[in-house]
């Protein structure tokens, strides 16, 4: 779902980022509340202590605020690549969780994914970190730290139901709307097709994707999730190429190989694990 973010954004017109955030999170949060109500008959899932609310809202809103701020204060290529440190940071931070074991192949897989993402973002042309944009680079680092920290800390709140994310989405919509009013000029989608793209964004990459991510973090292999997250920029690039927004080049081909191999390397213990047969006890003899 996150891979469709670039495609739907490209089809949504010139809507500014914080307004887009407000529209998408308002739609996804409202839709999720309806589903929660129909399924459980109440909004009890939203009655959580302050700590999960702070982590959820700071994670969703804080990441987007910092990411957009970094793009405003640094060249997009460099800011985007720095931001894509978050999957690697998830793998690293997971070693701090109780019961988790960080292995060399988790790091190797995430590292290969980062190299592949670098090829995608830079188009194989290298980086030029200009000291004039130090503030923007710093904010990009903070955005990566925010999303990786949110993801790892969410695992500590395993008892908080994923339905609570509906409330986090609505709070993020309100904060995004305030940022829009303070920082941006209002530009609405101009055509029915652009409105459809906005609704698709709210339904999937800026909606259901956050619920599935929360579920996976709390119940899945967090190191594998971190390394496999580099598939998002790869699939996004391939979708944009398929719909005529880009071309298939050698950096894209190399990124395909690096990110796929990295995900397999990180998940090798899970993929190639062989079930152990329990030996039956030998019959007792007198």
């Amino acid at each position: 779902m996150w891979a469709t973010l670039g495609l739907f954004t490209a089809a949504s017109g010139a809507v500014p980022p914080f307004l887009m955030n407000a529209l998408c999170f308002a739609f996804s949060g409202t839709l999720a509340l309806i589903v929660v109500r129909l399924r459980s008959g109440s909004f009890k899932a939203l009655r959580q202590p302050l700590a999960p609310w702070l982590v959820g809202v700071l994670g969703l809103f804080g990441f987007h605020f910092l990411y957009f701020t970094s793009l405003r204060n640094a060249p997009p290529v460099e800011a985007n690549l720095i931001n894509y440190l978050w999957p690697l940071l998830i793998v690293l931070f997971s070693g701090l969780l109780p019961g988790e074991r960080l292995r060399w192949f988790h790091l190797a897989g995430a590292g290969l994914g980062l190299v592949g993402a670098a090829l995608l973002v830079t188009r194989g042309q290298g980086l030029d970190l200009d000291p004039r944009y130090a503030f923007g680079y710093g904010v990009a680092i903070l955005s990566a730290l925010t999303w990786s920290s949110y993801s790892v800390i969410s695992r500590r709140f395993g008892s908080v139901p994923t339905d609570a994310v509906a409330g986090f989405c609505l709070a993020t919509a309100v904060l995004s709307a305030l940022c829009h009013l303070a920082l941006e000029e209002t530009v609405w989608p101009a055509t029915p097709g652009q409105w459809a793209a906005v609704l698709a964004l709210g339904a999937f990459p800026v909606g259901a994707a956050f619920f599935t991510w929360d579920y996976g973090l709390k119940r899945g292999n967090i190191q594998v999730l971190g390394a496999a997250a580099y598939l998002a920029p790869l699939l996004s690039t391939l979708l944009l190429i398929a719909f005529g927004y880009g071309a298939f080049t050698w950096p894209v081909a190399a990124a395909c190989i690096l990110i796929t191999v990295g995900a397999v390397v990180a998940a090798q213990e899970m993929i190639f694990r062989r079930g152990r047969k329990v030996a039956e006890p030998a019959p007792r003899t007198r």
Side-chain angles (χ1 to χ4, degrees):
M1 286 186 282
W2 276 337
T4 64
L5 181 64
L7 179 63
F8 290 145
T9 300
S12 64
V15 181
F18 284 114
L19 177 57
M20 180 74 79
N21 240 27
L23 293 172
C24 292
F25 276 109
F27 177 66
S28 62
T30 302
L31 190 62
L33 276 185
I34 294 172
V35 172
V36 169
R37 177 68 179 181
L38 291 175
R39 191 172 60 183
S40 65
S42 70
F43 298 121
K44 188 181 297 184
L46 273 63
R47 300 170 191 164
Q48 299 298 327
L50 180 61
W53 272 94
L54 286 176
V55 171
V57 176
L58 288 176
L60 294 182
F61 172 74
F63 167 74
H64 289 89
F65 177 83
L66 292 168
Y67 177 63
F68 293 143
T69 302
S70 71
L71 293 180
R72 291 174 182 271
N73 292 276
V77 169
E78 286 82 356
N80 208 23
L81 180 57
I82 293 171
N83 172 70
Y84 270 122
L85 288 170
W86 66 260
L88 178 60
L89 291 173
I90 286 176
V91 175
L92 292 174
F93 292 165
S94 68
L96 302 175
L97 291 170
E100 296 293 341
R101 187 181 179 189
L102 188 59
R103 304 286 296 276
W104 68 266
F105 48 81
H106 296 138
L107 295 173
L112 287 171
L114 178 60
V115 174
L119 282 174
L120 282 177
V121 173
T122 64
R123 297 182 176 90
Q125 296 176 0
L127 284 175
D128 181 19
L129 297 178
D130 191 327
R132 292 180 299 169
Y133 303 112
F135 174 75
Y137 299 149
V139 175
I141 292 173
L142 287 177
S143 74
L145 286 169
T146 298
W147 189 251
S148 56
S149 300
Y150 159 75
S151 298
V152 173
I153 294 172
S154 291
R155 194 171 180 93
R156 299 298 303 269
F157 292 112
S159 61
V160 176
T162 294
D163 288 348
V165 177
F168 307 158
C169 287
L170 289 175
T172 299
V174 172
L175 292 173
S176 297
L178 294 175
C179 284
H180 164 68
L181 294 174
L183 301 171
E184 296 175 334
E185 181 181 350
T186 302
V187 179
W188 297 104
T191 66
Q194 291 180 3
W195 275 109
V198 171
L199 294 179
L201 282 166
F204 301 109
V206 192
F210 293 113
F211 292 84
T212 55
W213 182 247
D214 182 84
Y215 186 90
L217 288 171
K218 291 174 179 175
R219 294 167 176 81
N221 186 314
I222 192 168
Q223 290 96 355
V224 174
L225 282 173
Y230 281 117
L231 289 168
L234 172 61
L235 295 175
S236 177
T237 301
L238 294 177
L239 277 174
L240 289 169
I241 291 171
F243 282 87
Y245 290 98
F248 193 81
T249 59
W250 76 261
V252 175
C256 286
I257 296 171
L258 287 167
I259 292 174
T260 303
V261 170
V264 172
V265 168
Q268 64 166 293
E269 192 175 48
M270 185 173 68
I271 296 173
F272 301 110
R273 181 173 50 201
R274 294 179 180 178
R276 297 180 179 178
K277 294 183 178 180
V278 179
E280 295 181 3
R284 298 179 63 183
T285 57
R286 293 180 182 271

